[in-house]
Amino acid sequence: MKKNISIITLLSGFALLFIGAMILSSCEGPMGPAGTDGTDGIDGVDGTDGVDGTNGADGNGTCIQCHDADVVLLAKEQQAASSHHLIGGNYERLSADCAICHTHQGFTEVVGTDLTEASADIVDPAPINCRTCHMIHETYTDADWALVIEDPVDLKFSEGTVDLGGPSNLCVQCHQFRDISPLPVSGGDSVSITSSRWGPHHGPQGNNVWGVGGYLIAGSKTYPSAGSHPHSDVGCVGCHMAPVPYGGRTAGGHTLNMSYEYHGSTEYNTGACAGCHSSIGDDFDYNGVQTEVDDLVAALEAIFVTKGWIDAPGDLWNASSGSPLKVTADEAGAMLNYKIVTEDRSEGIHNPAYMVALLTNSLESLQ
Ligand code: HEC
Ligand code: HEC
Ligand code: HEC
Ligand code: HEC
Ligand code: HEC
Ligand code: HEC
């Protein structure tokens, strides 16, 4: 009993305290001023020193691997200055689709990818130059003479893989067929050509040296199989960069030219051929093959003009009529073969037996 009373007394005491606190808090006064800031804590202990970085390479030591008293760089610059890459002027083809082959920036952006266009048109296009082909100023040592790509080329716009050997594969990156649409298929439907620019475009040399992409019309000449052609082992570089007597600035080496003007006449760099064709004369018409190719081209052209497929020797298919040119697959194939050989501009030298077969069989199919 006594115990119960004391619990009740305790509880009522707490209740009174609580009510008192409520009254006090509901009549609280304004907040007092903030106290002064406490004193700063003591500074932490310094961390342990980091490990020393590795020494940088000696700047002069690597730059002079190329920029030195030796005139190699100057000599190559002088040669390249006569190459059509630098002086051809077509690096103005700066739209995203053209720039991948025509400008330094477009090529550099897509090289090594499957991309067929740059991401945008190129502002301030630069022509093909040392940096387009070599890894200039990547490591700043002479390892930067390495070529940007040497892999076999999976053709971007046509079927097949071309392998002309390391350095020449670089050339094939750009010197290959462009998209041919509509593409005639042997034994397939007739095609309707709507563009005066229909064909492989101006740089079909990669396909041609390897021997791929032609329309194989049956005829009296057999086609050697792709990749087995005598000049695919020579590669672009083997002929176009071969040294030239007297002509260092105008042909051979980094000019990439096969012929040059010298004292008012055209000289041909047959030194590029003599190692294999000891009987070659002073031009490229070895065994009359260029003459044979020119004659076949002229015979085909005459037929195309007669049929009205071509306005005049050139590349305007039925351009004046404005309507599409509807032809059978074989007829389109013959025109394609003609374009492949004429746009190539070696008059058959890039792949003699193959080109003679393309033209001969095309001519036979039309006669
Ligand atoms: C692989 C050889 C090579 C090495 C190593 C090299 N360069 Fe170059 N350099 C070149 C080439 C090639 C060019 C371009 C020449 C041309 O376009 O005609 C060039 C151009 C230049 C130019 C002219 C401006 C320009 O950018 O075109 C300068 C400046 C230059 N290099 C400085 C250097 C310095 C500094 C180093 C070392 C840190 C160095 N290079 C290392 C090859 C090299
Ligand atoms: C980045 C693309 C590209 C690469 C790589 C390239 N070329 Fe070219 N090449 C071109 C273009 C584009 C032209 C036309 C330039 C112009 O007319 O302004 C051309 C022009 C030429 C010409 C001159 C044609 C003429 O009108 O007389 C030759 C020869 C040539 N290239 C050979 C080569 C060789 C050999 C290689 C490899 C060592 C090579 N090219 C690598 C794109 C390329
Ligand atoms: C796959 C690479 C490639 C693409 C893409 C390309 N070209 Fe070319 N083009 C070349 C090459 C290589 C040459 C040089 C061939 C030669 O001189 O024999 C060339 C040459 C030319 C020439 C010079 C022809 C002459 O007779 O001097 C013109 C003009 C040209 N291209 C326009 C264009 C235009 C326009 C586009 C875009 C619609 C384009 N090219 C896209 C590779 C390409
Ligand atoms: C169109 C592509 C292309 C361009 C542009 C180009 N080169 Fe080259 N260069 C090559 C190829 C391909 C080789 C290899 C030739 C061979 O293997 O026979 C080469 C080889 C060289 C070499 C010898 C490299 C070595 O490892 O010994 C030097 C040096 C050189 N080039 C300097 C230059 C300079 C300088 C420029 C600019 C003025 C330039 N190149 C522009 C394609 C090019
Ligand atoms: C067997 C030697 C040989 C090989 C290999 C070779 N070319 Fe040619 N190329 C020639 C000859 C010869 C001409 C015709 C030159 C002339 O008549 O003035 C020529 C012409 C050209 C032309 C037309 C412009 C010019 O210089 O007359 C281009 C562009 C060209 N070649 C690029 C290439 C490319 C790219 C490759 C590799 C895919 C290649 N060539 C492989 C020998 C060769
Ligand atoms: C590495 C060796 C080699 C080089 C370099 C070379 N060729 Fe050939 N060429 C051959 C072989 C192999 C054949 C096929 C066998 C034959 O006809 O002699 C051939 C075939 C030919 C043919 C066909 C001959 C015929 O009667 O049907 C011509 C044309 C030709 N070459 C021209 C040239 C020209 C022009 C050059 C230099 C620009 C050249 N070749 C460089 C190896 C070479």
Side-chain angles (χ1 to χ4, degrees):
M1 225 26 196
K2 211 172 174 196
K3 215 173 183 180
N4 286 347
I5 291 167
S6 59
I7 288 168
I8 290 165
T9 322
L10 254 173
L11 285 173
S12 40
F14 281 133
L16 275 172
L17 263 173
F18 179 71
I19 293 161
M22 291 281 287
I23 293 165
L24 275 174
S25 65
S26 52
C27 48
E28 188 186 348
M31 192 192 276
T36 44
D37 289 345
T39 28
D40 287 348
I42 310 158
D43 289 345
V45 190
D46 285 349
T48 44
D49 288 346
V51 188
D52 285 350
T54 43
N55 290 329
D58 179 344
N60 291 332
T62 63
C63 304
I64 62 168
Q65 289 176 14
C66 300
H67 296 284
D68 61 357
D70 186 348
V71 292
V72 167
L73 208 154
L74 176 64
K76 308 282 188 202
E77 281 175 339
Q78 285 301 303
Q79 294 169 7
S82 305
S83 86
H84 284 253
H85 290 153
L86 269 166
I87 61 175
N90 282 301
Y91 64 97
E92 65 182 14
R93 308 290 159 173
L94 52 73
S95 62
D97 54 340
C98 313
I100 61 166
C101 299
H102 280 276
T103 71
H104 165 81
Q105 295 97 324
F107 178 73
T108 305
E109 182 187 333
V110 306
V111 67
T113 71
D114 291 335
L115 297 173
T116 53
E117 284 193 16
S119 52
D121 295 355
I122 305 298
V123 180
D124 295 334
I128 296 162
N129 67 87
C130 320
R131 288 169 166 83
T132 317
C133 297
H134 297 281
M135 305 292 288
I136 303 305
H137 293 175
E138 295 284 328
T139 66
Y140 291 93
T141 69
D142 62 6
D144 291 349
W145 288 130
L147 298 172
V148 295
I149 196 163
E150 299 197 20
D151 300 338
V153 183
D154 194 4
L155 297 170
K156 279 199 171 167
F157 303 97
S158 52
E159 291 293 312
T161 302
V162 171
D163 187 3
L164 301 179
S168 297
N169 287 336
L170 168 66
C171 318
V172 182
Q173 291 284 338
C174 301
H175 288 266
Q176 57 170 288
F177 285 16
R178 250 174 36 185
D179 188 31
I180 299 167
S181 181
L183 182 69
V185 180
S186 190
D189 292 342
S190 57
V191 297
S192 187
I193 298 169
T194 54
S195 168
S196 62
R197 297 203 181 82
W198 180 78
H201 189 60
H202 307 302
Q205 295 87 4
N207 297 57
N208 292 347
V209 175
W210 190 248
V212 67
Y215 183 92
L216 308 184
I217 304 181
S220 62
K221 301 271 183 190
T222 45
Y223 299 100
S225 54
S228 71
H229 305 272
H231 292 164
S232 51
D233 290 339
V234 186
C236 321
V237 167
C239 287
H240 284 266
M241 296 183 88
V244 177
Y246 311 121
R249 196 173 53 78
T250 44
H254 274 70
T255 72
L256 307 178
N257 297 326
M258 292 300 299
S259 55
Y260 57 105
E261 297 302 314
Y262 192 64
H263 291 303
S265 57
T266 307
E267 301 287 332
Y268 300 92
N269 186 15
T270 53
C273 330
C276 299
H277 304 299
S278 56
S279 66
I280 194 157
D282 50 17
D283 64 27
F284 300 128
D285 197 9
Y286 179 65
N287 287 357
V289 168
Q290 285 188 315
T291 305
E292 183 183 4
V293 165
D294 292 348
D295 289 348
L296 287 164
V297 162
L300 275 169
E301 218 156 59
I303 294 177
F304 296 154
V305 172
T306 311
K307 289 186 181 285
W309 293 346
I310 177 174
D311 292 337
D315 59 0
L316 296 179
W317 306 108
N318 205 28
S320 57
S321 79
S323 54
L325 178 63
K326 204 155 198 274
V327 285
T328 67
D330 278 358
E331 289 168 341
M335 282 196 274
L336 181 60
N337 290 341
Y338 162 82
K339 292 285 280 183
I340 285 171
V341 174
T342 52
E343 293 284 11
D344 176 83
R345 292 161 66 217
S346 73
E347 296 168 83
I349 298 305
H350 286 152
N351 200 331
Y354 169 73
M355 293 202 179
V356 166
L358 286 180
L359 296 174
T360 306
N361 295 348
S362 296
L363 192 60
E364 287 172 3
S365 81
L366 292 172
Q367 279 166 343

